[in-house]
Amino acid sequence: MAPEMLQGIEQRIKQRETALKHPLQTTPVATHAPHGNIPNTPLAASTIAFLLAEEKALIGFFGTDYVRYQQRVGTKIPFVP
């Protein structure tokens, strides 16, 4: 990379480091107030998608045995039967 490009990247990294308290901070930086949505929505959505895909894989592997087990136990995740 060109030296000026590296300086630009380093400058942007320093700006982000000073703006955030922690590198993995997910606090929104927008100026509008939240409307009661789930915090960190991308993480919540990806977790739910992963769990639903896992359920589908288990059904594919174990078949009707897992479906009966699933009906008996449930997922213990809100809004996911």
Side-chain angles (χ1 to χ4, degrees), residues 48 51-52 55 66 70-71 73-81:
I48 291 171
L51 293 173
L52 291 175
E55 292 284 317
Y66 185 77
Q70 186 182 33
Q71 290 170 348
V73 175
T75 62
K76 309 290 190 250
I77 300 172
F79 311 112
V80 178

Side-chain angles (χ1 to χ4, degrees), residues 60-72:
F61 185 76
F62 292 108
T64 57
D65 290 336
Y66 185 77
V67 172
R68 283 190 296 242
Y69 169 79
Q70 186 182 33
Q71 290 170 348
R72 191 175 73 234

Side-chain angles (χ1 to χ4, degrees), residues 1-67:
M1 287 186 163
E4 62 274 352
M5 185 178 263
L6 286 175
Q7 289 176 348
I9 292 171
E10 290 173 3
Q11 182 181 5
R12 288 170 51 196
I13 290 172
K14 286 180 183 178
Q15 287 174 344
R16 288 181 183 177
E17 287 174 349
T18 57
L20 300 175
K21 296 175 185 166
H22 187 273
L24 298 177
Q25 181 180 4
T26 58
T27 306
V29 292
T31 57
H32 66 281
H35 300 286
N37 296 335
I38 299 172
N40 200 354
T41 303
L43 177 61
S46 62
T47 302
I48 291 171
F50 170 78
L51 293 173
L52 291 175
E54 183 181 14
E55 292 284 317
K56 187 176 180 179
L58 289 168
I59 291 170
F61 185 76
F62 292 108
T64 57
D65 290 336
Y66 185 77
V67 172

